[in-house]
Amino acid sequence: MEARGIIAALRDSRGLPAEAAQWFASGLASGQVTDAQAGAFAMAVLIRGLSADDRVGLTLAMRDSGQVLEWSLPGPVVDKHSTGGIGDSTSLLLAPALAACGAYVPMISGRGLGHTGGTVDKLESIPGYRTDVATADLHRIVAEVGCAIVAASADIAPADRRLYAVRDVTGTVESIDLITASILSKKLAAGLEALVLDVKVGSGAFMKTMEDARGLARSLVTTANGAGCRTAALITDMSQPLASTAGNALEVLEVMETLTGASVNQALWDVTVALGGEALVLAGLAGDAVDGEDQIEEALESGRAAEVFGRMVTALGGPADFVDRYPDRLPAAAVVRDVPAQAAGFIAQIDTEALGHAVVHLGGGRLRGGDRINPSVGLSDLQPIGEPLARGEALARVHAASDADADRAVAAVQAAFRISAGVPEEPPLIHERVA
């Protein structure tokens, strides 16, 4: 078998048999497949597409190109994945809540990508928190605490790491087949029994339309189930930030306020509860979604999820008193400035992607792969669609490292909000379920 023959078969719409997918994924991981061949492969998949069976085969081949975790635990191994958005910190609430309900959650997460925030970056704003851990430590912490949110090691789906880099420079990032295999190869390498997916749609999502979001959700669900992992998806709204903060330490602060009951963001709470209810059903820990949602709410309201979160932080090197002292433990920006509305009326529309780029340019994300992140910067007090404002009232608050950075961010945030005289229709938090 050789790369040229596999690529030619894809080009000619003759498919990707499982053994061809295994050979190609192994070649990506070992270096036997060249960058030129990887790019041609990706372009052939983008143009010709894959059948449902071939997509499962590619996903499993990429999963098996590296280490696949195995577990022996007294409860189901469960995870959640989001396709990315702004102000979306549900993972930090959901992992400990699921653990408090009897699930085990080895959440292998990513860093910020483009305008979207990364779960790993958020947690690294906690002093001492280590996201790069050895497999033995991950097994121990998940067994003892119930959850661990960490970064993927180099041994997890190395074929995907190679193919993703090639896709980024060959105009093939948007292939649904390759997106599906990329997401699921990493998630399934964690040895999951069940997976709930949060597929975002709207101005702050990678999928801007319901048609595209629905297509991705169906591809992910059918492929994951075909690969043997019980999976369902919720398509949730990203036409505005989910929570009222965007930025690493600021989002952790809002999560801790929600976990401890100091100040609950209702939208963040509701999406977390809905995803958690689905996950518990898939894991066999709830009879139906209502039962699952009730269990997640109880774990959050009782403080059991906060207690699990605190133990996870300690186990991964963070402060032992983080739950009690989180306002003092998180970094704060040097410059804080309100963003005044330039007209009176109602917030009618938000360019949520532009808000994400504003956070990146403040230093809260990466313009290039090796950039260092300033965990303290970002946006807070973001006002939602439908909010009435007088001229000069705050649309949001900028947290910046300098006055010049703050000036640029204020202008960017103002440009991202559209104010109208009429009351707009507020978008639903959850559009539909895909199973």
Side-chain angles (χ1 to χ4, degrees), residues 108-238:
I108 297 175
S109 298
R111 300 189 182 278
L113 178 64
H115 68 279
T116 66
T119 298
V120 167
D121 296 324
K122 295 168 191 178
L123 286 167
E124 286 180 347
S125 68
I126 300 173
Y129 192 104
R130 296 178 295 110
T131 58
D132 296 318
V133 298
T135 301
D137 290 332
L138 176 62
H139 275 90
R140 175 181 55 79
I141 293 167
V142 170
E144 293 175 357
V145 176
C147 66
I149 307 176
V150 298
S153 74
D155 296 328
I156 296 291
D160 174 66
R161 183 176 294 102
R162 177 92 185 287
L163 187 58
Y164 189 93
V166 171
R167 286 167 56 208
D168 195 38
V169 297
T170 56
T172 55
V173 169
E174 62 267 40
S175 165
I176 292 291
D177 294 314
L178 296 178
I179 292 170
T180 298
S182 177
I183 290 171
L184 293 180
S185 62
K186 295 189 288 286
K187 283 297 177 183
L188 298 183
L192 305 181
E193 298 170 55
L195 173 66
V196 64
L197 297 160
D198 183 2
V199 178
K200 301 294 187 185
V201 63
S203 65
F206 289 108
M207 299 298 170
K208 307 295 185 189
T209 69
M210 273 299 297
E211 180 183 5
D212 288 344
R214 195 177 286 122
L216 177 58
R218 288 173 177 164
S219 176
L220 287 165
V221 169
T222 57
T223 303
N225 280 305
C229 180
R230 295 186 297 276
T231 302
L234 297 180
I235 300 178
T236 68
D237 188 68
M238 192 42 65

Side-chain angles (χ1 to χ4, degrees), residues 112 117-118 121 247-248 358-366 372-378:
D121 296 324
N248 297 299
V359 174
V360 171
H361 284 276
L362 280 166
R366 296 174 184 84
R372 291 178 61 85
I373 280 182
N374 182 339
S376 69
V377 302

Side-chain angles (χ1 to χ4, degrees), residues 262-407:
S263 176
V264 173
N265 181 293
Q266 197 61 49
L268 183 61
W269 179 282
D270 289 347
V271 171
T272 300
V273 167
L275 290 167
E278 290 287 340
L280 291 179
V281 173
L282 292 166
L285 294 173
D288 56 33
V290 173
D291 175 29
E293 289 175 5
D294 288 345
Q295 290 187 51
I296 296 294
E297 287 208 308
E298 192 281 331
L300 293 169
E301 290 172 345
S302 66
R304 290 192 300 121
E307 189 269 334
V308 172
F309 189 91
R311 288 197 289 122
M312 179 185 74
V313 168
T314 302
L316 286 162
D321 61 353
F322 185 71
V323 172
D324 296 323
R325 300 288 303 276
Y326 64 88
D328 302 328
R329 298 292 181 253
L330 291 166
V335 178
V336 180
R337 189 178 302 171
D338 285 345
V339 181
Q342 295 177 298
F346 296 87
I347 297 175
Q349 193 173 9
I350 302 173
D351 184 345
T352 311
E353 182 174 340
L355 295 180
H357 286 302
V359 174
V360 171
H361 284 276
L362 280 166
R366 296 174 184 84
L367 293 169
R368 290 166 296 276
D371 286 352
R372 291 178 61 85
I373 280 182
N374 182 339
S376 69
V377 302
L379 308 173
S380 69
D381 302 276
L382 287 157
Q383 298 303 305
I385 290 173
E387 186 72 13
L389 291 169
R391 181 181 173 86
E393 272 195 278
L395 294 165
R397 182 167 291 167
V398 167
H399 300 249
S402 69
D403 287 324
D405 286 348
D407 289 341

